[in-house]
Structures are given as structure tokens and as C-alpha cells.
Amino acid sequence: MATLGIGAACWRKSRSVDGFTAAESSLPGWLTGLSILGTYISSISFIALPGKAFAANWNSFVFSLSIPFAAWIGVKYFLPFYRNSGCISAYTHLEERFGGWARTYASACYLLTQMARVGTVTYLMALPMNVLLGWDIRLIILITGISTTLYTFIGGIVGVIWTEAAQTVVLVLGALVCAVLMLAGLPEGPGQLFQIASAHDKFSLGSFGASLAEPTFWVVLVYGVVINLQNFGVDQNYVQRYHAAKSDREARKSLWMGALLYVPVSAVFFFIGTALFAYYFTHAGDLPLEYQAADKSDYVFPWFIVSVLPQGITGLLIASIFAAAMSTISSSLNSSATIFLNDYYQRYINKAATERQRMRVLYISTIVVGIIGTTLAFGMINVKSALDAWWTLAGIFGGGMLGLFLLGFISRRAGKPSGVISVAVGILVILWMSVSPKLGWVPEGMRSPFHSFLTIVFGTAALLLTGLLVTAFARPRKRDGA
């Protein structure tokens, strides 16, 4: 109800296209910074990060350590590029560099990714909430989908950012309270956590070896850099927040704030996972056998919340999990509606659309994406691993988008031929790395030997290198009269 109230309060500021998609460039940096942090943290983060630390170690935290480097590039190059362009769509410039096909390709990849993201986040949020509340998973998915779509529809980007900021505060507060209570619950006090964790190497950041088939420190670091460059460079969620800030200075502040805050916040989630390991190491009989398997580690945190924490704290944590999911979903809905309006409706259907017509398209597309995302969440109930499916889709779509953007950003001479050829090569590399290990009929020697984290890394690198080579060997165009 609180989120719907915030959305209703932002109704007046979102009744224009500029207000619905860019908040009329009027928001302070601290607010958009909290929104960027909220976009980073989803229900996947809230549940999966403690689960990973519980089952293994802090290897995945290396992803967080890569963010400051990517943020520096984003602040120095990407943010001023988009602020100066004046285009709300992240993909308008691709048409200027490579032609209309590039803009359509990138925006289509983005829309497909966001629909899959909405479905995955909603479903993965419903799983632990089923443990916490005892409600049917389908009912949780339906309630989340309807409520999030409704306040996004009412409040536009202003409502999304304000609710994200509020939800982020609730989420972080809930995580901190939970971490403190876990420490207090150990029989010999907080020091016991570090003794148990050290004995089982739970604080390890992973191997520092040279293997590319395992998630070593270096593999996760490179993966994190590429993913975060994608976030800051081609993700419409972030680009809209660049435009929503009231000045260049506030926009820079927001990006730095959101990026740097995620590092300690994610550390809290990993610490919770380590604390869970220590707690159930000393309370071995309190964890059901069904949750002790490695593939069930995501259920340990929800079980601790519902079985150990006081009722009032349980309510705060439930609100935090809902907040994490809703902030991610609302961002995807608003950004997808913005892309459909700018990259499809105004480009192919009605170039001379009135303000009223454009607002109608934004409203309808918000609802449609919400329905599709919620439907996909229902479909994932029978999927063996929704998270693996999401990683595969994100790698296939994301690598081509980032590589094409970097090609146009780095090379002034790159044009349509180099763009088409490089995208084809990049997609082939991505498909080979993501699909070949899962196909039994592919000979073992022809399967990708690399870890799945490197799919988007190698796909982006192959696309960019191919584009630069094609551009370098292409004949320069003759000038008129030459």
C-alpha cells in the first residue's frame, strides 16, 4: 500500500512523456543514487548472495569489487555521452553509427532481456516467500505482478525512483538487523563466527590460478567488469537515471553513490551467508535435511527468518524481500515502455504522434510488459533452474549489445558492414559458449571449455575485435571530386 501511495503522489509529475520517462530532469543525485543501488539489488541478490556464501565462500563478492572500475569509466565517458546526446533511448546513437538495423537489434535484445528479468526476479522472489508465508507460489507471483505494474503505471519514472529509494532503505536496514541478530545467536559470541568461517575457508575470494574453466578470482573479476560496463553503457535503466538527474554534477554523484554503496551492501549479504553457516554449524539439528543440499542453499536464509527471528523482525525481512523484487521489476517496466515508445512506435508506427498518443503508448506498454513478465514467472515454475536460464539469456543478448556500443564508441570509422559482420561473429561465439556444453550430440572436443561467466566476455571481445579488424582493412570512402 505504501508503494501505491508513493506512485499516486507522483501522478502529477508523470503526466507528460518527459515526466514519465525522465522526471523532467529534476531529481537530486542522492535520490537517483539510491535508485541505482535499488536497481542493482534484486530478490536474486537478497536470497542468492547469502545462499552462495553459505554453500561456498565469498568468490562471487569479486563481482562487487569490479564495480568501482566500471563506474569510473561510466562517469568519465558514458554518462556525459548520454547527457549530451539529449536522447532518452540508449540505442538512438546506434542508428546514427550503423543504421536502423542496429538500433532495432539492440532495443529488441533489451526488451527480451527485461521481460525475462521480470519473470526471473518475480519467480525467484516467490520461492522463499512461499517458505516464509506459506502462500501458494502462483498467488505470490500474481500479487507482486499486479501491484508493481500498478504503481509503475501511476507514478512513472518519478514513482519508480522514489519507491526504489524507500525500498532500498528498508532492504539495507533489514539486512543489517538480521546480521546483528545472527551474531548474537551464536553460543560463544561473534568471535565464534570468524573461528568457524576461517576453519572452513568461508571468506575465500576464490582461486588465483590461471584456469578459465572455473570461477577463479580473475574470471569473476573480468566478468564483473564487462557486466558493469554493460550496465553503465547500454542498460536503459541506468541511462534514464542519467537523464533524470537535474544536472551533470548530480548525475555523476548518483552513479558514484549507487555503485560504491553496493560494495559494502553486498558484503553484508555475503556476511549473512557466512553467519548462517556458523549458526547452523552450532545448531546442526535446526536446519531441515532438505535445505542442507548445495542446490537448496537459497532456502536457508528464508528458513532462518521464519524459524528463528522474532515476528516483528520477520515482517521487516519479508518487506525487504518484496522491496528488492519490486524495485527491480518497476525499473524494467518503465524502461521497457520508454524503449517501445521511442524505438518502435515513434520510429515505425507514428512519427508525428501527439503527447496524448505517446502517453497512451507508455501506459499500454507498461501494462503489457507487466503481463508478459508475470506470465513468464508462472512458466518458470516448471523450469529446472530459472537462474541458469536467466544467465544464459542475459549472456546471449547482452554480449552483442555491449560489443556493438563499444565498437561505435571507440572507432569513428566503423559503419554498417563492420557492424553487421561483427555482430554475427559475436553472436556465434556467444551461442557456441552457452549452448554447446549442454548438447550431448556435440563432440566433447568441440564444446566450449570455458566457464559460463566468460560467455559475455568472449562474445563482447570477439564482436569488438572483428569490427575493428573489418574497419581497419576496409577501403576508405572516396570523397566527392577525389
PDB file of all heavy atoms in Angstrom, residues 115-116 118-124 126-127 137-138 141-142 370-387 389 393:
ATOM      1  N   MET A 115      12.039  -8.559 -20.160  1.00  0.00           N
ATOM      2  CA  MET A 115      10.890  -9.436 -19.907  1.00  0.00           C
ATOM      3  C   MET A 115      11.322 -10.694 -19.165  1.00  0.00           C
ATOM      4  O   MET A 115      10.662 -11.138 -18.220  1.00  0.00           O
ATOM      5  CB  MET A 115      10.218  -9.804 -21.238  1.00  0.00           C
ATOM      6  CG  MET A 115       9.522  -8.637 -21.917  1.00  0.00           C
ATOM      7  SD  MET A 115       8.866  -9.074 -23.544  1.00  0.00           S
ATOM      8  CE  MET A 115       8.395  -7.460 -24.179  1.00  0.00           C
ATOM      9  N   ALA A 116      12.449 -11.261 -19.602  1.00  0.00           N
ATOM     10  CA  ALA A 116      12.978 -12.437 -18.904  1.00  0.00           C
ATOM     11  C   ALA A 116      13.400 -12.076 -17.488  1.00  0.00           C
ATOM     12  O   ALA A 116      13.229 -12.862 -16.547  1.00  0.00           O
ATOM     13  CB  ALA A 116      14.171 -13.007 -19.678  1.00  0.00           C
ATOM     14  N   VAL A 118      12.101  -9.686 -15.526  1.00  0.00           N
ATOM     15  CA  VAL A 118      10.903  -9.538 -14.697  1.00  0.00           C
ATOM     16  C   VAL A 118      10.389 -10.906 -14.264  1.00  0.00           C
ATOM     17  O   VAL A 118      10.059 -11.131 -13.088  1.00  0.00           O
ATOM     18  CB  VAL A 118       9.807  -8.762 -15.459  1.00  0.00           C
ATOM     19  CG1 VAL A 118       8.486  -8.812 -14.693  1.00  0.00           C
ATOM     20  CG2 VAL A 118      10.229  -7.315 -15.669  1.00  0.00           C
ATOM     21  N   GLY A 119      10.316 -11.833 -15.221  1.00  0.00           N
ATOM     22  CA  GLY A 119       9.835 -13.165 -14.897  1.00  0.00           C
ATOM     23  C   GLY A 119      10.733 -13.892 -13.912  1.00  0.00           C
ATOM     24  O   GLY A 119      10.266 -14.511 -12.953  1.00  0.00           O
ATOM     25  N   THR A 120      12.060 -13.795 -14.112  1.00  0.00           N
ATOM     26  CA  THR A 120      13.012 -14.487 -13.239  1.00  0.00           C
ATOM     27  C   THR A 120      12.997 -13.918 -11.834  1.00  0.00           C
ATOM     28  O   THR A 120      12.948 -14.660 -10.843  1.00  0.00           O
ATOM     29  CB  THR A 120      14.437 -14.389 -13.820  1.00  0.00           C
ATOM     30  OG1 THR A 120      14.443 -14.886 -15.157  1.00  0.00           O
ATOM     31  CG2 THR A 120      15.410 -15.188 -12.981  1.00  0.00           C
ATOM     32  N   VAL A 121      13.049 -12.588 -11.725  1.00  0.00           N
ATOM     33  CA  VAL A 121      13.065 -11.953 -10.404  1.00  0.00           C
ATOM     34  C   VAL A 121      11.780 -12.252  -9.638  1.00  0.00           C
ATOM     35  O   VAL A 121      11.804 -12.557  -8.437  1.00  0.00           O
ATOM     36  CB  VAL A 121      13.270 -10.428 -10.544  1.00  0.00           C
ATOM     37  CG1 VAL A 121      13.019  -9.712  -9.215  1.00  0.00           C
ATOM     38  CG2 VAL A 121      14.678 -10.120 -11.043  1.00  0.00           C
ATOM     39  N   THR A 122      10.657 -12.177 -10.329  1.00  0.00           N
ATOM     40  CA  THR A 122       9.369 -12.448  -9.675  1.00  0.00           C
ATOM     41  C   THR A 122       9.302 -13.891  -9.177  1.00  0.00           C
ATOM     42  O   THR A 122       8.890 -14.156  -8.036  1.00  0.00           O
ATOM     43  CB  THR A 122       8.206 -12.195 -10.646  1.00  0.00           C
ATOM     44  OG1 THR A 122       8.292 -10.856 -11.149  1.00  0.00           O
ATOM     45  CG2 THR A 122       6.873 -12.367  -9.940  1.00  0.00           C
ATOM     46  N   TYR A 123       9.720 -14.819 -10.019  1.00  0.00           N
ATOM     47  CA  TYR A 123       9.670 -16.228  -9.634  1.00  0.00           C
ATOM     48  C   TYR A 123      10.629 -16.538  -8.481  1.00  0.00           C
ATOM     49  O   TYR A 123      10.259 -17.215  -7.506  1.00  0.00           O
ATOM     50  CB  TYR A 123      10.018 -17.103 -10.841  1.00  0.00           C
ATOM     51  CG  TYR A 123      10.218 -18.556 -10.505  1.00  0.00           C
ATOM     52  CD1 TYR A 123       9.169 -19.332 -10.029  1.00  0.00           C
ATOM     53  CD2 TYR A 123      11.476 -19.147 -10.643  1.00  0.00           C
ATOM     54  CE1 TYR A 123       9.359 -20.665  -9.707  1.00  0.00           C
ATOM     55  CE2 TYR A 123      11.673 -20.487 -10.316  1.00  0.00           C
ATOM     56  CZ  TYR A 123      10.609 -21.232  -9.856  1.00  0.00           C
ATOM     57  OH  TYR A 123      10.795 -22.547  -9.524  1.00  0.00           O
ATOM     58  N   LEU A 124      11.888 -16.030  -8.579  1.00  0.00           N
ATOM     59  CA  LEU A 124      12.866 -16.316  -7.532  1.00  0.00           C
ATOM     60  C   LEU A 124      12.515 -15.628  -6.217  1.00  0.00           C
ATOM     61  O   LEU A 124      12.958 -16.058  -5.149  1.00  0.00           O
ATOM     62  CB  LEU A 124      14.262 -15.906  -8.002  1.00  0.00           C
ATOM     63  CG  LEU A 124      14.856 -16.753  -9.125  1.00  0.00           C
ATOM     64  CD1 LEU A 124      16.214 -16.231  -9.548  1.00  0.00           C
ATOM     65  CD2 LEU A 124      14.966 -18.218  -8.687  1.00  0.00           C
ATOM     66  N   ALA A 126       9.288 -15.388  -5.322  1.00  0.00           N
ATOM     67  CA  ALA A 126       8.137 -16.169  -4.844  1.00  0.00           C
ATOM     68  C   ALA A 126       8.557 -17.445  -4.131  1.00  0.00           C
ATOM     69  O   ALA A 126       7.858 -17.900  -3.215  1.00  0.00           O
ATOM     70  CB  ALA A 126       7.222 -16.510  -6.022  1.00  0.00           C
ATOM     71  N   LEU A 127       9.702 -18.025  -4.515  1.00  0.00           N
ATOM     72  CA  LEU A 127      10.154 -19.261  -3.889  1.00  0.00           C
ATOM     73  C   LEU A 127      10.384 -19.112  -2.381  1.00  0.00           C
ATOM     74  O   LEU A 127       9.795 -19.851  -1.587  1.00  0.00           O
ATOM     75  CB  LEU A 127      11.429 -19.769  -4.576  1.00  0.00           C
ATOM     76  CG  LEU A 127      11.261 -20.400  -5.962  1.00  0.00           C
ATOM     77  CD1 LEU A 127      12.617 -20.791  -6.521  1.00  0.00           C
ATOM     78  CD2 LEU A 127      10.358 -21.616  -5.891  1.00  0.00           C
ATOM     79  N   ILE A 137       2.715 -20.297  -4.525  1.00  0.00           N
ATOM     80  CA  ILE A 137       3.659 -19.529  -5.341  1.00  0.00           C
ATOM     81  C   ILE A 137       2.927 -18.711  -6.401  1.00  0.00           C
ATOM     82  O   ILE A 137       3.275 -17.553  -6.671  1.00  0.00           O
ATOM     83  CB  ILE A 137       4.679 -20.475  -6.002  1.00  0.00           C
ATOM     84  CG1 ILE A 137       5.657 -21.008  -4.952  1.00  0.00           C
ATOM     85  CG2 ILE A 137       5.438 -19.758  -7.113  1.00  0.00           C
ATOM     86  CD1 ILE A 137       6.691 -21.961  -5.505  1.00  0.00           C
ATOM     87  N   ARG A 138       1.900 -19.276  -7.003  1.00  0.00           N
ATOM     88  CA  ARG A 138       1.166 -18.567  -8.055  1.00  0.00           C
ATOM     89  C   ARG A 138       0.492 -17.315  -7.517  1.00  0.00           C
ATOM     90  O   ARG A 138       0.435 -16.284  -8.193  1.00  0.00           O
ATOM     91  CB  ARG A 138       0.136 -19.516  -8.694  1.00  0.00           C
ATOM     92  CG  ARG A 138       0.750 -20.680  -9.449  1.00  0.00           C
ATOM     93  CD  ARG A 138      -0.286 -21.697  -9.879  1.00  0.00           C
ATOM     94  NE  ARG A 138       0.316 -22.800 -10.607  1.00  0.00           N
ATOM     95  CZ  ARG A 138       0.942 -23.825 -10.037  1.00  0.00           C
ATOM     96  NH1 ARG A 138       1.030 -23.876  -8.717  1.00  0.00           N
ATOM     97  NH2 ARG A 138       1.464 -24.791 -10.769  1.00  0.00           N
ATOM     98  N   ILE A 141       3.194 -14.606  -7.023  1.00  0.00           N
ATOM     99  CA  ILE A 141       3.577 -14.046  -8.324  1.00  0.00           C
ATOM    100  C   ILE A 141       2.514 -13.065  -8.812  1.00  0.00           C
ATOM    101  O   ILE A 141       2.827 -11.964  -9.282  1.00  0.00           O
ATOM    102  CB  ILE A 141       3.790 -15.180  -9.352  1.00  0.00           C
ATOM    103  CG1 ILE A 141       5.060 -15.972  -9.014  1.00  0.00           C
ATOM    104  CG2 ILE A 141       3.875 -14.614 -10.771  1.00  0.00           C
ATOM    105  CD1 ILE A 141       5.252 -17.203  -9.866  1.00  0.00           C
ATOM    106  N   LEU A 142       1.249 -13.455  -8.703  1.00  0.00           N
ATOM    107  CA  LEU A 142       0.159 -12.616  -9.190  1.00  0.00           C
ATOM    108  C   LEU A 142       0.076 -11.300  -8.415  1.00  0.00           C
ATOM    109  O   LEU A 142      -0.048 -10.220  -9.011  1.00  0.00           O
ATOM    110  CB  LEU A 142      -1.164 -13.371  -9.078  1.00  0.00           C
ATOM    111  CG  LEU A 142      -2.396 -12.684  -9.674  1.00  0.00           C
ATOM    112  CD1 LEU A 142      -2.212 -12.487 -11.174  1.00  0.00           C
ATOM    113  CD2 LEU A 142      -3.654 -13.509  -9.392  1.00  0.00           C
ATOM    114  N   GLY A 370       4.290  -5.851 -18.059  1.00  0.00           N
ATOM    115  CA  GLY A 370       3.969  -6.427 -16.754  1.00  0.00           C
ATOM    116  C   GLY A 370       3.258  -7.764 -16.881  1.00  0.00           C
ATOM    117  O   GLY A 370       3.567  -8.722 -16.159  1.00  0.00           O
ATOM    118  N   ILE A 371       2.319  -7.839 -17.809  1.00  0.00           N
ATOM    119  CA  ILE A 371       1.582  -9.094 -18.027  1.00  0.00           C
ATOM    120  C   ILE A 371       2.512 -10.182 -18.556  1.00  0.00           C
ATOM    121  O   ILE A 371       2.487 -11.327 -18.087  1.00  0.00           O
ATOM    122  CB  ILE A 371       0.407  -8.865 -19.002  1.00  0.00           C
ATOM    123  CG1 ILE A 371      -0.650  -7.965 -18.350  1.00  0.00           C
ATOM    124  CG2 ILE A 371      -0.209 -10.198 -19.421  1.00  0.00           C
ATOM    125  CD1 ILE A 371      -1.759  -7.548 -19.295  1.00  0.00           C
ATOM    126  N   ILE A 372       3.350  -9.827 -19.540  1.00  0.00           N
ATOM    127  CA  ILE A 372       4.268 -10.814 -20.118  1.00  0.00           C
ATOM    128  C   ILE A 372       5.258 -11.313 -19.066  1.00  0.00           C
ATOM    129  O   ILE A 372       5.513 -12.518 -18.942  1.00  0.00           O
ATOM    130  CB  ILE A 372       5.023 -10.215 -21.319  1.00  0.00           C
ATOM    131  CG1 ILE A 372       4.052  -9.917 -22.463  1.00  0.00           C
ATOM    132  CG2 ILE A 372       6.124 -11.158 -21.790  1.00  0.00           C
ATOM    133  CD1 ILE A 372       4.687  -9.206 -23.639  1.00  0.00           C
ATOM    134  N   GLY A 373       5.829 -10.379 -18.284  1.00  0.00           N
ATOM    135  CA  GLY A 373       6.782 -10.771 -17.256  1.00  0.00           C
ATOM    136  C   GLY A 373       6.157 -11.676 -16.204  1.00  0.00           C
ATOM    137  O   GLY A 373       6.760 -12.676 -15.781  1.00  0.00           O
ATOM    138  N   THR A 374       4.942 -11.340 -15.784  1.00  0.00           N
ATOM    139  CA  THR A 374       4.246 -12.165 -14.792  1.00  0.00           C
ATOM    140  C   THR A 374       3.931 -13.544 -15.365  1.00  0.00           C
ATOM    141  O   THR A 374       4.058 -14.566 -14.676  1.00  0.00           O
ATOM    142  CB  THR A 374       2.942 -11.474 -14.350  1.00  0.00           C
ATOM    143  OG1 THR A 374       3.248 -10.169 -13.836  1.00  0.00           O
ATOM    144  CG2 THR A 374       2.236 -12.279 -13.275  1.00  0.00           C
ATOM    145  N   THR A 375       3.539 -13.586 -16.639  1.00  0.00           N
ATOM    146  CA  THR A 375       3.264 -14.864 -17.299  1.00  0.00           C
ATOM    147  C   THR A 375       4.518 -15.728 -17.378  1.00  0.00           C
ATOM    148  O   THR A 375       4.465 -16.949 -17.152  1.00  0.00           O
ATOM    149  CB  THR A 375       2.706 -14.625 -18.717  1.00  0.00           C
ATOM    150  OG1 THR A 375       1.524 -13.822 -18.636  1.00  0.00           O
ATOM    151  CG2 THR A 375       2.371 -15.944 -19.400  1.00  0.00           C
ATOM    152  N   LEU A 376       5.660 -15.102 -17.682  1.00  0.00           N
ATOM    153  CA  LEU A 376       6.925 -15.838 -17.726  1.00  0.00           C
ATOM    154  C   LEU A 376       7.283 -16.390 -16.354  1.00  0.00           C
ATOM    155  O   LEU A 376       7.850 -17.482 -16.243  1.00  0.00           O
ATOM    156  CB  LEU A 376       8.048 -14.935 -18.240  1.00  0.00           C
ATOM    157  CG  LEU A 376       8.005 -14.576 -19.725  1.00  0.00           C
ATOM    158  CD1 LEU A 376       9.105 -13.568 -20.059  1.00  0.00           C
ATOM    159  CD2 LEU A 376       8.165 -15.827 -20.582  1.00  0.00           C
ATOM    160  N   ALA A 377       6.958 -15.630 -15.299  1.00  0.00           N
ATOM    161  CA  ALA A 377       7.211 -16.112 -13.935  1.00  0.00           C
ATOM    162  C   ALA A 377       6.408 -17.376 -13.654  1.00  0.00           C
ATOM    163  O   ALA A 377       6.916 -18.328 -13.047  1.00  0.00           O
ATOM    164  CB  ALA A 377       6.870 -15.019 -12.921  1.00  0.00           C
ATOM    165  N   PHE A 378       5.151 -17.395 -14.110  1.00  0.00           N
ATOM    166  CA  PHE A 378       4.343 -18.613 -13.974  1.00  0.00           C
ATOM    167  C   PHE A 378       4.984 -19.771 -14.740  1.00  0.00           C
ATOM    168  O   PHE A 378       5.023 -20.908 -14.259  1.00  0.00           O
ATOM    169  CB  PHE A 378       2.925 -18.383 -14.504  1.00  0.00           C
ATOM    170  CG  PHE A 378       2.043 -17.587 -13.583  1.00  0.00           C
ATOM    171  CD1 PHE A 378       1.460 -16.408 -14.007  1.00  0.00           C
ATOM    172  CD2 PHE A 378       1.802 -18.014 -12.283  1.00  0.00           C
ATOM    173  CE1 PHE A 378       0.643 -15.663 -13.163  1.00  0.00           C
ATOM    174  CE2 PHE A 378       0.988 -17.289 -11.433  1.00  0.00           C
ATOM    175  CZ  PHE A 378       0.406 -16.106 -11.868  1.00  0.00           C
ATOM    176  N   GLY A 379       5.489 -19.484 -15.935  1.00  0.00           N
ATOM    177  CA  GLY A 379       6.100 -20.526 -16.752  1.00  0.00           C
ATOM    178  C   GLY A 379       7.360 -21.105 -16.140  1.00  0.00           C
ATOM    179  O   GLY A 379       7.705 -22.263 -16.395  1.00  0.00           O
ATOM    180  N   MET A 380       8.065 -20.305 -15.324  1.00  0.00           N
ATOM    181  CA  MET A 380       9.318 -20.772 -14.730  1.00  0.00           C
ATOM    182  C   MET A 380       9.112 -21.726 -13.567  1.00  0.00           C
ATOM    183  O   MET A 380      10.074 -22.293 -13.046  1.00  0.00           O
ATOM    184  CB  MET A 380      10.153 -19.582 -14.277  1.00  0.00           C
ATOM    185  CG  MET A 380      10.781 -18.817 -15.416  1.00  0.00           C
ATOM    186  SD  MET A 380      11.873 -17.511 -14.864  1.00  0.00           S
ATOM    187  CE  MET A 380      12.488 -16.910 -16.442  1.00  0.00           C
ATOM    188  N   ILE A 381       7.872 -21.891 -13.131  1.00  0.00           N
ATOM    189  CA  ILE A 381       7.595 -22.802 -12.020  1.00  0.00           C
ATOM    190  C   ILE A 381       8.060 -24.217 -12.364  1.00  0.00           C
ATOM    191  O   ILE A 381       8.514 -24.965 -11.496  1.00  0.00           O
ATOM    192  CB  ILE A 381       6.087 -22.786 -11.681  1.00  0.00           C
ATOM    193  CG1 ILE A 381       5.692 -21.419 -11.103  1.00  0.00           C
ATOM    194  CG2 ILE A 381       5.738 -23.893 -10.694  1.00  0.00           C
ATOM    195  CD1 ILE A 381       4.219 -21.266 -10.831  1.00  0.00           C
ATOM    196  N   ASN A 382       7.991 -24.588 -13.642  1.00  0.00           N
ATOM    197  CA  ASN A 382       8.375 -25.935 -14.067  1.00  0.00           C
ATOM    198  C   ASN A 382       9.779 -25.994 -14.672  1.00  0.00           C
ATOM    199  O   ASN A 382      10.197 -27.042 -15.166  1.00  0.00           O
ATOM    200  CB  ASN A 382       7.361 -26.459 -15.096  1.00  0.00           C
ATOM    201  CG  ASN A 382       5.963 -26.592 -14.516  1.00  0.00           C
ATOM    202  OD1 ASN A 382       5.795 -27.045 -13.384  1.00  0.00           O
ATOM    203  ND2 ASN A 382       4.959 -26.169 -15.278  1.00  0.00           N
ATOM    204  N   VAL A 383      10.501 -24.862 -14.633  1.00  0.00           N
ATOM    205  CA  VAL A 383      11.868 -24.839 -15.155  1.00  0.00           C
ATOM    206  C   VAL A 383      12.821 -25.380 -14.098  1.00  0.00           C
ATOM    207  O   VAL A 383      12.696 -25.050 -12.911  1.00  0.00           O
ATOM    208  CB  VAL A 383      12.276 -23.410 -15.563  1.00  0.00           C
ATOM    209  CG1 VAL A 383      13.751 -23.354 -15.955  1.00  0.00           C
ATOM    210  CG2 VAL A 383      11.407 -22.935 -16.725  1.00  0.00           C
ATOM    211  N   LYS A 384      13.769 -26.220 -14.505  1.00  0.00           N
ATOM    212  CA  LYS A 384      14.686 -26.854 -13.558  1.00  0.00           C
ATOM    213  C   LYS A 384      15.520 -25.826 -12.823  1.00  0.00           C
ATOM    214  O   LYS A 384      15.673 -25.889 -11.599  1.00  0.00           O
ATOM    215  CB  LYS A 384      15.593 -27.841 -14.301  1.00  0.00           C
ATOM    216  CG  LYS A 384      16.532 -28.606 -13.386  1.00  0.00           C
ATOM    217  CD  LYS A 384      17.349 -29.620 -14.163  1.00  0.00           C
ATOM    218  CE  LYS A 384      18.272 -30.402 -13.225  1.00  0.00           C
ATOM    219  NZ  LYS A 384      19.086 -31.395 -13.971  1.00  0.00           N
ATOM    220  N   SER A 385      16.083 -24.858 -13.544  1.00  0.00           N
ATOM    221  CA  SER A 385      16.894 -23.820 -12.911  1.00  0.00           C
ATOM    222  C   SER A 385      16.587 -22.489 -13.577  1.00  0.00           C
ATOM    223  O   SER A 385      17.100 -22.195 -14.656  1.00  0.00           O
ATOM    224  CB  SER A 385      18.388 -24.133 -13.026  1.00  0.00           C
ATOM    225  OG  SER A 385      19.157 -23.070 -12.508  1.00  0.00           O
ATOM    226  N   ALA A 386      15.750 -21.675 -12.940  1.00  0.00           N
ATOM    227  CA  ALA A 386      15.388 -20.377 -13.505  1.00  0.00           C
ATOM    228  C   ALA A 386      16.595 -19.455 -13.570  1.00  0.00           C
ATOM    229  O   ALA A 386      16.753 -18.680 -14.514  1.00  0.00           O
ATOM    230  CB  ALA A 386      14.285 -19.737 -12.659  1.00  0.00           C
ATOM    231  N   LEU A 387      17.477 -19.538 -12.555  1.00  0.00           N
ATOM    232  CA  LEU A 387      18.642 -18.663 -12.527  1.00  0.00           C
ATOM    233  C   LEU A 387      19.606 -18.995 -13.662  1.00  0.00           C
ATOM    234  O   LEU A 387      20.143 -18.106 -14.329  1.00  0.00           O
ATOM    235  CB  LEU A 387      19.360 -18.775 -11.180  1.00  0.00           C
ATOM    236  CG  LEU A 387      20.445 -17.736 -10.883  1.00  0.00           C
ATOM    237  CD1 LEU A 387      19.867 -16.330 -11.000  1.00  0.00           C
ATOM    238  CD2 LEU A 387      21.053 -17.961  -9.511  1.00  0.00           C
ATOM    239  N   ALA A 389      18.764 -20.340 -16.511  1.00  0.00           N
ATOM    240  CA  ALA A 389      18.103 -19.893 -17.737  1.00  0.00           C
ATOM    241  C   ALA A 389      18.290 -18.395 -17.927  1.00  0.00           C
ATOM    242  O   ALA A 389      18.537 -17.924 -19.048  1.00  0.00           O
ATOM    243  CB  ALA A 389      16.612 -20.233 -17.675  1.00  0.00           C
ATOM    244  N   LEU A 393      20.245 -16.454 -21.081  1.00  0.00           N
ATOM    245  CA  LEU A 393      19.591 -15.439 -21.910  1.00  0.00           C
ATOM    246  C   LEU A 393      20.314 -14.099 -21.819  1.00  0.00           C
ATOM    247  O   LEU A 393      20.517 -13.420 -22.833  1.00  0.00           O
ATOM    248  CB  LEU A 393      18.131 -15.274 -21.467  1.00  0.00           C
ATOM    249  CG  LEU A 393      17.201 -16.450 -21.780  1.00  0.00           C
ATOM    250  CD1 LEU A 393      15.842 -16.222 -21.130  1.00  0.00           C
ATOM    251  CD2 LEU A 393      17.044 -16.618 -23.287  1.00  0.00           C
TER     252      LEU A 393
END
